[in-house]
Amino acid sequence: MNTCLLLQSGDGSKVDFLKGKTINLQVKCGDKGRLYGSITNQEIVDALKAQHGKEIDKRKLECDAVRQTGDYDVTVTVYNGIKAAMKLHVEPMAK
């Protein structure tokens, strides 16, 4: 995964805020953790806004295809060349 670059100016508040955060999603899935479909970037962005209060553009999010439960690395491009590494935790919805 891409490494997180730090801003050298004093304007790193958004990078510092996002770096290391975890986004939790509960989804419907089968018995073996396989999702019915996949999680989209828009769903991740919506969960980020709901859980951490930061709004980002879904096109600035880099993530592998999420088709089963587990932990994933997410990279957010905050500024050109400046990225913040985050975690995505996907767990099954209670039945």
Side-chain angles (χ1 to χ4, degrees), residues 12-24:
S13 61
K14 194 169 190 178
V15 173
D16 293 336
F17 180 82
L18 293 174
K19 184 172 57 173
K21 295 280 190 210
T22 300
I23 304 166
N24 296 304

Side-chain angles (χ1 to χ4, degrees), residues 26-95:
Q26 291 187 340
V27 294
K28 292 182 180 180
C29 64
D31 292 335
K32 297 186 182 196
R34 186 125 173 108
L35 274 58
Y36 301 128
S38 63
I39 294 177
T40 64
N41 282 4
Q42 186 62 52
E43 290 174 300
I44 297 171
V45 167
D46 291 343
L48 175 66
K49 183 178 180 185
Q51 293 172 23
H52 299 292
K54 286 289 184 182
E55 191 168 344
I56 61 168
D57 188 345
K58 69 179 181 177
R59 295 171 293 196
K60 298 195 180 246
L61 192 80
E62 298 172 28
C63 184
D64 294 334
V66 179
R67 294 192 177 105
Q68 62 185 21
T69 57
D71 293 322
Y72 297 87
D73 292 323
V74 176
T75 303
V76 178
T77 303
V78 180
Y79 304 108
N80 191 19
I82 308 299
K83 299 177 186 252
M86 302 180 69
K87 294 284 184 189
L88 173 65
H89 177 73
V90 180
E91 60 188 15
M93 189 177 287
K95 295 183 180 185

